[in-house]
Amino acid sequence: MRIFAPIKERKDMDISRAILQFLHYHPLSSRDEIARGTAFEGSDATMKRLLAAAVAKGDVVVEGKARATRYKLSDQAHLLMPLNLDTYFAQDVDEREVQTSFNFDLIRQQLPAVHLFTDEEMEHLNALQAEFRQHVSEMTENEYRKEMERLGIDLSWKSSQIEGNTYSLLETERLLEAVMLLNHKDALRFVLDNPDYLQQLTVSHIEDIHQLLTKELSVDRGIRHRRVGITGTNYHPLDNEFQIREAMPAMPF
């Protein structure tokens, strides 16, 4: 088994990744613009070959002909293309090229056009789901709730990490009496006691779960009415209630 790609192949992979990242922020670019934007030092023939390979793979779409030829990312690449995180984090926050606003096209156009999993991956996921259902069917009600409580601990730990907390998994279990973590437990219990409640996920259902999660945390009920930011990024979430309400029904619940 070959573990490492040859040097030339690895170099091509890096350049191809840079091309995709450039097209993410500069759609409909010409070959020359791509070369300049990625600081490409190879020949024009090499750039042609790399772009042709990206087109054949389904990552890049071609528009126009001859000198009017332009390149853009496919819907597939927008969602699944690899990223060079080292290059991204090597830049200062203010210099990073990022999506700065909510991408409505992602939900309305790109996601419906892309198969996120291959047939083999779907077969594997379905097998795991069947195995899970079999295990659940063999549990007593008490055993099932104990497992869901354990899941609640894991979910609370992950949620706390996303929010910037640095608790270990063991510390999270010991901190379940804290308000935020206790709210996670209450929300999970509510879902378990009302298994049909989220069969059809609506905005009002999300607001109900949100109320359980934010109980006693001085957080207003319902959709927020003021602008928020995310520390460490230039991305700006939707900044008013009307934009959020417009986006919510389009979500693929």
Side-chain angles (χ1 to χ4, degrees):
M1 178 183 294
R2 188 177 70 184
I3 299 177
F4 297 106
I7 293 176
K8 179 181 183 302
E9 184 177 333
R10 276 186 283 153
K11 184 177 181 181
D12 283 354
M13 289 168 56
D14 290 341
I15 297 171
S16 296
R17 185 175 300 175
I19 290 172
L20 296 184
Q21 290 186 194
F22 177 80
L23 289 177
H24 179 79
Y25 298 107
H26 305 88
L28 297 178
S29 292
S30 67
R31 194 165 64 246
D32 288 342
E33 289 169 337
I34 295 170
R36 290 195 299 269
T38 57
F40 178 67
E41 297 179 351
S43 66
D44 186 57
T46 300
M47 175 60 72
K48 284 183 180 179
R49 175 175 57 80
L50 293 173
L51 286 171
V55 171
K57 189 178 178 181
D59 288 335
V60 172
V61 175
V62 181
E63 293 192 5
K65 296 181 178 180
R67 292 186 177 182
T69 301
R70 297 293 183 271
Y71 302 87
K72 67 177 184 179
L73 288 185
S74 66
D75 291 329
Q76 168 186 297
H78 267 292
L79 298 175
L80 304 177
M81 74 177 190
L83 297 174
N84 189 332
L85 296 181
D86 291 336
T87 300
Y88 177 79
F89 286 109
Q91 297 177 305
D92 291 335
V93 172
D94 292 335
E95 295 178 354
R96 294 172 187 168
E97 200 164 20
V98 299
Q99 180 83 32
T100 58
S101 60
F102 188 83
N103 184 0
F104 282 94
D105 288 342
L106 175 67
I107 303 299
R108 295 171 178 169
Q109 299 176 17
Q110 293 167 352
L111 268 176
V114 172
H115 296 289
L116 295 178
F117 302 104
T118 65
D119 291 341
E120 292 79 9
E121 289 170 336
M122 283 303 305
E123 184 177 347
H124 180 61
L125 289 172
N126 288 333
L128 291 177
Q129 179 70 6
E131 183 180 355
F132 169 77
R133 292 183 183 278
Q134 178 63 32
H135 289 321
V136 168
S137 69
E138 297 170 354
M139 290 181 178
T140 66
E141 178 68 20
N142 186 55
E143 288 173 335
Y144 180 70
R145 285 188 172 274
K146 287 291 185 182
E147 285 298 314
M148 291 301 101
E149 287 181 4
R150 172 56 55 186
L151 173 63
I153 292 171
D154 289 341
L155 289 175
S156 296
W157 174 47
K158 287 296 185 182
S159 176
S160 297
Q161 285 189 319
I162 292 172
E163 294 295 330
N165 295 330
T166 56
Y167 307 132
S168 68
L169 183 58
L170 179 60
E171 289 170 334
T172 301
E173 187 168 7
R174 292 173 176 172
L175 286 168
L176 266 181
E177 298 306 312
V179 173
M180 185 176 69
L181 302 182
L182 192 59
N183 288 350
H184 279 84
K185 189 175 182 181
D186 288 343
L188 179 60
R189 183 182 294 116
F190 174 80
V191 173
L192 291 175
D193 291 339
N194 302 274
D196 296 331
Y197 189 75
L198 297 179
Q199 284 293 323
Q200 184 175 0
L201 196 56
T202 65
V203 174
S204 62
H205 286 171
I206 294 174
E207 289 179 324
D208 289 340
I209 300 299
H210 179 260
Q211 186 177 22
L212 292 173
L213 291 170
T214 58
K215 184 173 59 180
E216 298 182 17
L217 291 177
S218 299
V219 176
D220 295 335
R221 173 180 166 80
I223 293 176
R224 57 181 168 80
H225 302 281
R226 59 183 182 274
R227 182 175 300 177
V228 298
I230 301 176
T231 303
T233 176
N234 292 328
Y235 174 76
H236 299 291
L238 295 177
D239 59 10
N240 65 67
E241 177 186 1
F242 304 105
Q243 288 183 329
I244 296 173
R245 290 196 178 277
E246 178 188 357
M248 291 293 279
M251 296 297 181
F253 296 142

Short mmCIF file of all heavy atoms in Angstrom, two decimals, residues 8-24 34 38 40 46-55 57 59-60 73 77 81-84:
data_model
loop_
_atom_site.label_atom_id
_atom_site.label_comp_id
_atom_site.label_asym_id
_atom_site.label_seq_id
_atom_site.Cartn_x
_atom_site.Cartn_y
_atom_site.Cartn_z
N LYS A 8 5.69 15.04 -6.80
CA LYS A 8 4.98 15.76 -7.86
C LYS A 8 3.47 15.67 -7.65
O LYS A 8 2.76 16.66 -7.80
CB LYS A 8 5.36 15.19 -9.23
CG LYS A 8 4.63 15.89 -10.39
CD LYS A 8 5.01 15.28 -11.72
CE LYS A 8 4.32 16.03 -12.87
NZ LYS A 8 2.87 16.03 -12.73
N GLU A 9 2.98 14.47 -7.29
CA GLU A 9 1.54 14.30 -7.10
C GLU A 9 1.05 15.13 -5.92
O GLU A 9 -0.01 15.75 -5.98
CB GLU A 9 1.24 12.82 -6.86
CG GLU A 9 -0.25 12.52 -6.73
CD GLU A 9 -0.51 11.04 -6.56
OE1 GLU A 9 0.32 10.23 -7.03
OE2 GLU A 9 -1.53 10.70 -5.95
N ARG A 10 1.83 15.16 -4.84
CA ARG A 10 1.45 15.97 -3.68
C ARG A 10 1.42 17.45 -4.05
O ARG A 10 0.56 18.19 -3.61
CB ARG A 10 2.41 15.72 -2.52
CG ARG A 10 2.04 14.49 -1.68
CD ARG A 10 2.94 14.40 -0.48
NE ARG A 10 4.25 13.88 -0.85
CZ ARG A 10 5.37 14.15 -0.19
NH1 ARG A 10 5.35 14.97 0.83
NH2 ARG A 10 6.50 13.62 -0.56
N LYS A 11 2.37 17.88 -4.87
CA LYS A 11 2.41 19.28 -5.29
C LYS A 11 1.17 19.62 -6.11
O LYS A 11 0.55 20.66 -5.93
CB LYS A 11 3.68 19.55 -6.09
CG LYS A 11 3.84 21.01 -6.49
CD LYS A 11 5.16 21.24 -7.21
CE LYS A 11 5.32 22.70 -7.59
NZ LYS A 11 6.58 22.95 -8.31
N ASP A 12 0.80 18.70 -7.03
CA ASP A 12 -0.41 18.92 -7.82
C ASP A 12 -1.64 19.00 -6.93
O ASP A 12 -2.55 19.80 -7.15
CB ASP A 12 -0.59 17.78 -8.83
CG ASP A 12 0.35 17.92 -10.03
OD1 ASP A 12 1.04 18.95 -10.11
OD2 ASP A 12 0.38 17.00 -10.87
N MET A 13 -1.69 18.15 -5.89
CA MET A 13 -2.83 18.17 -4.97
C MET A 13 -2.93 19.51 -4.26
O MET A 13 -4.02 20.06 -4.09
CB MET A 13 -2.70 17.03 -3.95
CG MET A 13 -2.93 15.64 -4.55
SD MET A 13 -2.45 14.31 -3.43
CE MET A 13 -3.44 14.69 -1.99
N ASP A 14 -1.78 20.05 -3.84
CA ASP A 14 -1.76 21.34 -3.15
C ASP A 14 -2.23 22.46 -4.08
O ASP A 14 -3.00 23.34 -3.67
CB ASP A 14 -0.35 21.65 -2.63
CG ASP A 14 0.05 20.75 -1.48
OD1 ASP A 14 -0.85 20.15 -0.85
OD2 ASP A 14 1.26 20.62 -1.22
N ILE A 15 -1.74 22.43 -5.32
CA ILE A 15 -2.15 23.47 -6.28
C ILE A 15 -3.63 23.35 -6.59
O ILE A 15 -4.35 24.36 -6.64
CB ILE A 15 -1.31 23.35 -7.58
CG1 ILE A 15 0.17 23.59 -7.29
CG2 ILE A 15 -1.82 24.35 -8.62
CD1 ILE A 15 1.08 23.30 -8.46
N SER A 16 -4.13 22.13 -6.78
CA SER A 16 -5.54 21.92 -7.07
C SER A 16 -6.40 22.43 -5.93
O SER A 16 -7.46 23.05 -6.15
CB SER A 16 -5.82 20.43 -7.30
OG SER A 16 -5.13 19.97 -8.45
N ARG A 17 -5.97 22.20 -4.71
CA ARG A 17 -6.70 22.70 -3.55
C ARG A 17 -6.70 24.22 -3.53
O ARG A 17 -7.71 24.85 -3.23
CB ARG A 17 -6.07 22.14 -2.27
CG ARG A 17 -6.82 22.48 -1.00
CD ARG A 17 -6.17 21.78 0.18
NE ARG A 17 -6.18 20.34 0.02
CZ ARG A 17 -5.57 19.50 0.87
NH1 ARG A 17 -4.90 19.98 1.91
NH2 ARG A 17 -5.64 18.20 0.69
N ALA A 18 -5.56 24.83 -3.87
CA ALA A 18 -5.48 26.29 -3.90
C ALA A 18 -6.41 26.87 -4.98
O ALA A 18 -7.03 27.92 -4.78
CB ALA A 18 -4.03 26.72 -4.15
N ILE A 19 -6.50 26.17 -6.10
CA ILE A 19 -7.39 26.62 -7.18
C ILE A 19 -8.84 26.62 -6.70
O ILE A 19 -9.58 27.59 -6.92
CB ILE A 19 -7.24 25.72 -8.42
CG1 ILE A 19 -5.87 25.95 -9.07
CG2 ILE A 19 -8.35 25.99 -9.43
CD1 ILE A 19 -5.55 24.96 -10.17
N LEU A 20 -9.24 25.56 -6.03
CA LEU A 20 -10.62 25.47 -5.53
C LEU A 20 -10.90 26.56 -4.50
O LEU A 20 -11.96 27.20 -4.52
CB LEU A 20 -10.88 24.10 -4.92
CG LEU A 20 -10.79 22.90 -5.88
CD1 LEU A 20 -11.16 21.62 -5.15
CD2 LEU A 20 -11.70 23.10 -7.08
N GLN A 21 -9.94 26.79 -3.62
CA GLN A 21 -10.15 27.84 -2.61
C GLN A 21 -10.24 29.22 -3.26
O GLN A 21 -11.01 30.07 -2.83
CB GLN A 21 -9.02 27.79 -1.57
CG GLN A 21 -9.08 26.56 -0.69
CD GLN A 21 -8.05 26.59 0.44
OE1 GLN A 21 -7.81 25.59 1.08
NE2 GLN A 21 -7.44 27.74 0.70
N PHE A 22 -9.44 29.45 -4.30
CA PHE A 22 -9.50 30.73 -5.00
C PHE A 22 -10.85 30.91 -5.68
O PHE A 22 -11.48 31.97 -5.58
CB PHE A 22 -8.38 30.82 -6.03
CG PHE A 22 -8.41 32.08 -6.85
CD1 PHE A 22 -7.90 33.26 -6.35
CD2 PHE A 22 -8.96 32.08 -8.12
CE1 PHE A 22 -7.94 34.44 -7.10
CE2 PHE A 22 -9.01 33.24 -8.88
CZ PHE A 22 -8.50 34.43 -8.36
N LEU A 23 -11.34 29.88 -6.34
CA LEU A 23 -12.62 29.97 -7.05
C LEU A 23 -13.79 30.10 -6.09
O LEU A 23 -14.85 30.62 -6.47
CB LEU A 23 -12.81 28.74 -7.94
CG LEU A 23 -11.92 28.67 -9.18
CD1 LEU A 23 -12.15 27.37 -9.93
CD2 LEU A 23 -12.17 29.87 -10.10
N HIS A 24 -13.62 29.66 -4.87
CA HIS A 24 -14.69 29.81 -3.89
C HIS A 24 -15.02 31.29 -3.69
O HIS A 24 -16.19 31.65 -3.54
CB HIS A 24 -14.26 29.19 -2.55
CG HIS A 24 -15.29 29.32 -1.48
ND1 HIS A 24 -16.38 28.48 -1.39
CD2 HIS A 24 -15.42 30.20 -0.45
CE1 HIS A 24 -17.13 28.83 -0.36
NE2 HIS A 24 -16.56 29.87 0.23
N ILE A 34 -6.76 32.92 -12.31
CA ILE A 34 -6.53 31.85 -11.34
C ILE A 34 -5.04 31.69 -11.06
O ILE A 34 -4.62 31.56 -9.91
CB ILE A 34 -7.12 30.52 -11.84
CG1 ILE A 34 -8.64 30.62 -11.94
CG2 ILE A 34 -6.73 29.37 -10.92
CD1 ILE A 34 -9.29 29.46 -12.64
N THR A 38 -3.44 32.47 -7.34
CA THR A 38 -2.86 31.38 -6.55
C THR A 38 -1.34 31.41 -6.54
O THR A 38 -0.70 30.50 -6.01
CB THR A 38 -3.32 30.01 -7.11
OG1 THR A 38 -2.94 29.91 -8.49
CG2 THR A 38 -4.83 29.86 -6.99
N PHE A 40 0.63 30.87 -8.94
CA PHE A 40 1.06 29.67 -9.64
C PHE A 40 2.31 29.97 -10.46
O PHE A 40 2.34 30.94 -11.22
CB PHE A 40 -0.07 29.17 -10.54
CG PHE A 40 0.27 27.97 -11.35
CD1 PHE A 40 0.50 26.75 -10.74
CD2 PHE A 40 0.37 28.05 -12.74
CE1 PHE A 40 0.81 25.62 -11.49
CE2 PHE A 40 0.67 26.93 -13.49
CZ PHE A 40 0.90 25.71 -12.87
N THR A 46 0.38 23.13 -17.61
CA THR A 46 0.11 22.47 -16.33
C THR A 46 -1.20 22.98 -15.71
O THR A 46 -2.00 22.21 -15.19
CB THR A 46 1.26 22.70 -15.34
OG1 THR A 46 2.46 22.16 -15.89
CG2 THR A 46 0.98 22.03 -14.00
N MET A 47 -1.41 24.30 -15.79
CA MET A 47 -2.66 24.86 -15.27
C MET A 47 -3.85 24.30 -16.03
O MET A 47 -4.88 23.96 -15.44
CB MET A 47 -2.61 26.38 -15.35
CG MET A 47 -3.93 27.07 -14.95
SD MET A 47 -4.45 26.71 -13.24
CE MET A 47 -3.24 27.65 -12.31
N LYS A 48 -3.73 24.19 -17.36
CA LYS A 48 -4.80 23.61 -18.17
C LYS A 48 -5.10 22.18 -17.71
O LYS A 48 -6.26 21.78 -17.59
CB LYS A 48 -4.41 23.60 -19.65
CG LYS A 48 -4.51 24.93 -20.35
CD LYS A 48 -4.17 24.75 -21.83
CE LYS A 48 -4.25 26.07 -22.59
NZ LYS A 48 -3.91 25.89 -24.02
N ARG A 49 -4.04 21.42 -17.45
CA ARG A 49 -4.20 20.02 -17.05
C ARG A 49 -4.90 19.92 -15.70
O ARG A 49 -5.81 19.10 -15.50
CB ARG A 49 -2.83 19.33 -16.99
CG ARG A 49 -2.88 17.90 -16.47
CD ARG A 49 -1.52 17.23 -16.55
NE ARG A 49 -0.50 17.96 -15.82
CZ ARG A 49 -0.34 17.89 -14.49
NH1 ARG A 49 -1.16 17.14 -13.76
NH2 ARG A 49 0.64 18.55 -13.91
N LEU A 50 -4.51 20.78 -14.76
CA LEU A 50 -5.10 20.74 -13.42
C LEU A 50 -6.58 21.15 -13.46
O LEU A 50 -7.42 20.55 -12.78
CB LEU A 50 -4.32 21.66 -12.48
CG LEU A 50 -2.89 21.22 -12.15
CD1 LEU A 50 -2.18 22.30 -11.35
CD2 LEU A 50 -2.90 19.89 -11.39
N LEU A 51 -6.88 22.16 -14.27
CA LEU A 51 -8.28 22.59 -14.40
C LEU A 51 -9.12 21.52 -15.09
O LEU A 51 -10.26 21.25 -14.69
CB LEU A 51 -8.36 23.90 -15.16
CG LEU A 51 -7.93 25.15 -14.38
CD1 LEU A 51 -7.83 26.37 -15.29
CD2 LEU A 51 -8.90 25.44 -13.23
N ALA A 52 -8.54 20.89 -16.11
CA ALA A 52 -9.27 19.82 -16.81
C ALA A 52 -9.56 18.66 -15.85
O ALA A 52 -10.64 18.06 -15.89
CB ALA A 52 -8.47 19.34 -18.01
N ALA A 53 -8.59 18.36 -14.99
CA ALA A 53 -8.78 17.28 -14.02
C ALA A 53 -9.87 17.65 -13.02
O ALA A 53 -10.69 16.81 -12.63
CB ALA A 53 -7.47 17.00 -13.29
N ALA A 54 -9.91 18.92 -12.60
CA ALA A 54 -10.93 19.38 -11.66
C ALA A 54 -12.32 19.34 -12.30
O ALA A 54 -13.31 19.01 -11.64
CB ALA A 54 -10.61 20.79 -11.18
N VAL A 55 -12.38 19.66 -13.59
CA VAL A 55 -13.66 19.60 -14.32
C VAL A 55 -14.12 18.15 -14.43
O VAL A 55 -15.29 17.83 -14.18
CB VAL A 55 -13.51 20.23 -15.72
CG1 VAL A 55 -14.77 19.97 -16.55
CG2 VAL A 55 -13.26 21.73 -15.60
N LYS A 57 -13.41 15.71 -12.52
CA LYS A 57 -13.77 15.21 -11.18
C LYS A 57 -15.10 15.76 -10.70
O LYS A 57 -15.70 15.24 -9.77
CB LYS A 57 -12.66 15.59 -10.20
CG LYS A 57 -12.78 14.96 -8.83
CD LYS A 57 -11.61 15.36 -7.96
CE LYS A 57 -11.75 14.77 -6.56
NZ LYS A 57 -10.61 15.18 -5.70
N ASP A 59 -15.48 19.04 -9.73
CA ASP A 59 -15.26 20.12 -8.76
C ASP A 59 -15.38 21.50 -9.40
O ASP A 59 -15.65 22.48 -8.70
CB ASP A 59 -13.87 20.00 -8.13
CG ASP A 59 -13.78 18.83 -7.16
OD1 ASP A 59 -14.84 18.44 -6.63
OD2 ASP A 59 -12.67 18.32 -6.94
N VAL A 60 -15.15 21.60 -10.71
CA VAL A 60 -15.13 22.89 -11.39
C VAL A 60 -16.06 22.82 -12.60
O VAL A 60 -16.14 21.80 -13.28
CB VAL A 60 -13.70 23.27 -11.84
CG1 VAL A 60 -13.71 24.50 -12.72
CG2 VAL A 60 -12.82 23.51 -10.61
N LEU A 73 -16.71 27.08 -9.14
CA LEU A 73 -16.89 25.84 -8.39
C LEU A 73 -18.23 25.21 -8.72
O LEU A 73 -19.23 25.90 -8.95
CB LEU A 73 -16.84 26.12 -6.89
CG LEU A 73 -15.49 26.45 -6.25
CD1 LEU A 73 -15.66 26.56 -4.74
CD2 LEU A 73 -14.44 25.43 -6.59
N ALA A 77 -18.34 20.93 -5.07
CA ALA A 77 -17.10 21.45 -4.49
C ALA A 77 -17.38 22.48 -3.41
O ALA A 77 -16.64 22.57 -2.43
CB ALA A 77 -16.21 22.04 -5.58
N MET A 81 -15.32 20.33 -0.94
CA MET A 81 -13.91 20.46 -1.33
C MET A 81 -13.02 20.50 -0.08
O MET A 81 -13.41 20.97 0.98
CB MET A 81 -13.71 21.75 -2.14
CG MET A 81 -13.77 23.02 -1.32
SD MET A 81 -13.42 24.47 -2.37
CE MET A 81 -13.27 25.76 -1.12
N PRO A 82 -11.79 19.97 -0.20
CA PRO A 82 -10.85 20.01 0.92
C PRO A 82 -10.33 21.42 1.13
O PRO A 82 -10.26 22.22 0.19
CB PRO A 82 -9.73 19.07 0.47
CG PRO A 82 -9.78 19.14 -1.03
CD PRO A 82 -11.23 19.29 -1.38
N LEU A 83 -9.97 21.74 2.37
CA LEU A 83 -9.45 23.06 2.70
C LEU A 83 -8.04 22.93 3.27
O LEU A 83 -7.73 21.97 3.96
CB LEU A 83 -10.34 23.75 3.74
CG LEU A 83 -11.77 24.05 3.32
CD1 LEU A 83 -12.57 24.59 4.50
CD2 LEU A 83 -11.81 25.03 2.17
N ASN A 84 -7.20 23.91 2.98
CA ASN A 84 -5.86 23.95 3.54
C ASN A 84 -5.92 24.83 4.80
O ASN A 84 -5.79 26.05 4.73
CB ASN A 84 -4.87 24.53 2.53
CG ASN A 84 -3.43 24.38 3.01
OD1 ASN A 84 -3.16 24.36 4.21
ND2 ASN A 84 -2.51 24.27 2.06
#
